[in-house]
Amino acid sequence: GQVAEAAVALGVQREQQEFGDMLVGSYQDTYHNLTLKVMHGLKWACEQCWPRYILKMDEDCFVNTNCLPAFLAELNTVSMGLYVGSLFSRKKRQVICEPSASGTCRPSRDSRPDEYPPYPSGIGYILSLDAAEKILEATQHVHPIPVEDAYIGILAEEAGVQARMSACFAKHNVRWHVCNYRYLMVIHHLSPHEQEAAQQSMLQAHSACRHSLELTCWK
Ligand SMILES: *[C@@H]1O[C@H](CO)[C@@H](O)[C@H](O)[C@H]1NC(C)=O
């Protein structure tokens, strides 16, 4: 999005000119506007890119580039209607409305206005293209809320796309063993230094953990 600080804006512009791999929207890039940013990315993916799958993730996440692409291309059996990640428990899906935020809380369309439908954390989730298209379509009927991942969950429910739980998405960067990198696809909350360590673990897991669990399905 658009940033106020001139130095950051210049950095974004340079990055875009040099690599041409950034999408820059016209909205203010603020935490409150995160939903706009996510929807912008999804719209671009569906209208200009047409991938088979979309991985939405936060920038402080590690992604297992060794396993995930091959898994999706060769082993994934759910190629349609896929919406998978680390789902929030019911307790964490309670809608908290602040008086000042009236109108930005969950639209009271359904019978459970105080609870979001099951949805994966925005740290990282995968959508198949058809699921992403249905979710985008649903934006016509559902007003956005600032909680970006909950909004995707509401849209998915509206579109009849079911959220799927997978242990391959980790919300917390605990002391994962090298062999956990055989199946972990996304891990949240890594510093740049920790990214390097995770990368090493991922590469080691390939040879060091031949006999440990390898990902064969969403579980
Ligand atoms: C979101 O972006 C719009 C469009 O740039 C801007 O008018 C609005 O102030 C932003 N909202 C917040 C809360 O940042």
Side-chain angles (χ1 to χ4, degrees):
Q2 300 298 314
V3 284
E5 303 100 295
V8 178
L10 191 65
V12 169
Q13 199 189 332
R14 287 212 179 116
E15 170 91 16
Q16 170 64 356
Q17 275 166 1
E18 188 170 350
F19 299 104
D21 60 354
M22 285 173 83
L23 198 57
V24 183
S26 55
Y27 45 84
Q28 291 292 318
D29 195 322
T30 59
Y31 193 69
H32 195 81
N33 265 346
L34 199 50
T35 297
L36 284 181
K37 188 148 97 174
V38 171
M39 300 320 290
H40 179 207
L42 271 189
K43 196 164 152 43
W44 177 84
C46 289
E47 292 177 0
Q48 317 265 333
C49 186
W50 313 292
R52 279 165 68 188
Y53 303 102
I54 298 163
L55 166 65
K56 182 276 173 191
M57 57 186 279
D58 286 352
E59 66 177 353
D60 60 344
C61 289
F62 168 78
V63 61
N64 191 326
T65 50
N66 231 0
C67 299
L68 184 54
F71 173 77
L72 285 173
E74 293 155 24
L75 299 172
N76 174 37
T77 52
V78 193
S79 56
M80 298 289 282
L82 184 65
Y83 174 36
V84 63
S86 175
L87 302 198
F88 283 112
S89 64
R90 190 163 193 186
K91 206 172 137 201
K92 296 230 166 108
R93 286 188 276 113
Q94 300 300 314
V95 177
I96 300 159
C97 284
E98 290 170 26
S100 61
S102 60
T104 63
C105 282
R106 158 127 226 226
S108 55
R109 186 186 50 74
D110 76 350
S111 54
R112 293 173 287 118
D114 54 353
E115 187 184 291
Y116 293 122
Y119 68 96
S121 164
I123 59 132
Y125 53 84
I126 294 172
L127 291 166
S128 56
L129 184 61
D130 65 303
E133 285 170 344
K134 285 183 192 156
I135 284 169
L136 270 182
E137 172 81 21
T139 57
Q140 293 175 20
H141 322 290
V142 188
H143 201 73
I145 58 166
V147 191
E148 50 99 8
D149 43 9
Y151 182 53
I152 299 290
I154 296 168
L155 293 170
E157 184 187 51
E158 174 82 17
V161 174
Q162 206 181 346
R164 190 179 284 263
M165 177 68 171
S166 171
C168 303
F169 299 78
K171 289 194 193 85
H172 304 289
N173 180 23
V174 295
R175 290 176 167 268
W176 294 108
H177 187 268
V178 165
C179 294
N180 293 127
Y181 286 78
R182 290 275 279 182
Y183 69 91
L184 287 175
M185 290 190 191
V186 174
I187 307 172
H188 179 224
H189 215 231
L190 281 82
S191 67
H193 181 73
E194 289 168 331
Q195 288 277 5
E196 285 176 24
Q199 181 86 9
Q200 287 307 314
S201 297
M202 176 186 87
L203 296 173
Q204 283 167 16
H206 199 60
S207 52
C209 310
R210 290 193 181 283
H211 302 293
S212 64
L213 180 71
E214 189 182 20
L215 181 72
T216 51
C217 63
W218 299 109
K219 57 186 166 197

